[in-house]
Amino acid sequence: MSFVLGVTGGIATGKSTAVAHFRSLGLPIIDADIIAREVVEPNTEGLQAVTQAFGPQILTDDGHLDRQTLGALIFNDPEKRRILNQTLSPFIRQEILSQIEEKKQEVPLLIVDIPLLYEADYDQYMDQTAVIYVPEAIQKERLMARNQLTEQEAQQRIDSQLSIEKKKQRADIVFDNQGTIAQLNQQIDDWFASINK
């Protein structure tokens, strides 16, 4: 039997750091962000669907998705962002679920890294969910420092996601990342040891 752990967090809570540690333990990772990029590669149905929704101006001369142009279109337009998510969501979901099914045949433990785990109802496909957690005030501080954002810009990005406190309430496991990377890694190691008993 294979065990599937869905891992999520908020922007700047340290999810990538945590996932890197899971990877260093030799665990296979299904990465939703990578899949989201793969489903809009040239000549894919995903890219065709996005081009139909937003027009050919979102393509580069060589047929790739022009992420900057698309980003500019959707950044300040919630309706266009909703259309993009609605357009790509079925392609991303189908690929994530097929990779989960495939990997479950091969490995006893699988990590699925999904930023919008709860928002897009992926928790139903997981055996358990883990949230990489810091309080919002620390999240905002780290985001401002990391991306050189004003407080208002950082807050807007945080507000565009489900709040980290709500994610924490829904999680089966909370990895608290208010301390050092070593402390975060230790919590993951402890969990890994407990599941391997």
Side-chain angles (χ1 to χ4, degrees):
M1 268 304 287
S2 195
F3 185 90
V4 183
L5 179 70
V7 177
T8 195
I11 189 167
T13 61
K15 181 175 65 64
S16 302
T17 306
V19 169
H21 191 63
F22 282 116
R23 189 175 278 116
S24 77
L25 295 171
L27 297 173
I29 313 284
I30 293 174
D31 184 329
D33 284 342
I34 290 175
I35 289 172
R37 287 197 288 276
E38 288 172 350
V39 299
V40 290
E41 289 286 318
N43 306 315
T44 56
E45 288 178 33
L47 185 57
Q48 284 171 357
V50 175
T51 308
Q52 277 174 346
F54 292 96
Q57 80 267 21
I58 60 150
L59 295 175
T60 60
D61 294 340
D62 60 358
H64 285 78
L65 178 64
D66 185 336
R67 292 178 183 284
Q68 258 185 318
T69 303
L70 182 61
L73 274 177
I74 66 163
F75 187 67
N76 289 317
D77 191 329
E79 179 56 19
K80 283 192 174 138
R81 198 161 49 236
R82 189 189 63 75
I83 291 168
L84 178 66
N85 288 338
Q86 211 173 13
T87 304
L88 284 180
S89 181
F91 297 103
I92 295 170
R93 185 174 301 265
Q94 184 185 353
E95 184 57 30
I96 287 173
L97 296 182
S98 85
Q99 284 194 25
I100 288 173
E101 282 315 307
E102 192 182 307
K103 288 265 192 283
K104 275 167 85 170
Q105 311 306 315
E106 302 164 4
V107 295
L109 178 58
L110 175 61
I111 305 296
V112 188
D113 172 3
I114 306 185
L116 301 176
L117 182 85
Y118 297 115
E119 293 91 329
D121 296 321
Y122 279 102
D123 46 331
Q124 63 184 312
Y125 308 114
M126 308 299 152
D127 293 310
Q128 286 192 328
T129 60
V131 166
I132 314 305
Y133 172 80
V134 296
E136 193 178 288
I138 295 177
Q139 188 184 8
K140 185 161 46 174
E141 238 169 70
R142 289 182 183 176
L143 183 57
M144 286 165 67
R146 185 185 81 184
N147 293 27
Q148 276 82 56
L149 299 175
T150 65
E151 188 173 348
Q152 188 186 356
E153 288 167 334
Q155 192 64 53
Q156 274 178 326
R157 294 196 185 182
I158 289 168
D159 290 345
S160 75
Q161 299 180 329
L162 183 67
S163 93
I164 194 67
E165 297 302 332
K166 285 197 175 130
K167 289 181 182 182
K168 181 186 178 186
Q169 283 166 7
R170 291 177 67 174
D172 299 301
I173 305 155
V174 176
F175 294 116
D176 190 311
N177 191 24
Q178 295 179 66
T180 63
I181 291 175
Q183 287 168 324
L184 174 65
N185 291 349
Q186 187 60 55
Q187 291 172 64
I188 293 169
D189 290 343
D190 292 346
W191 172 80
F192 187 52
S194 74
I195 205 158
N196 278 321
K197 275 184 181 154

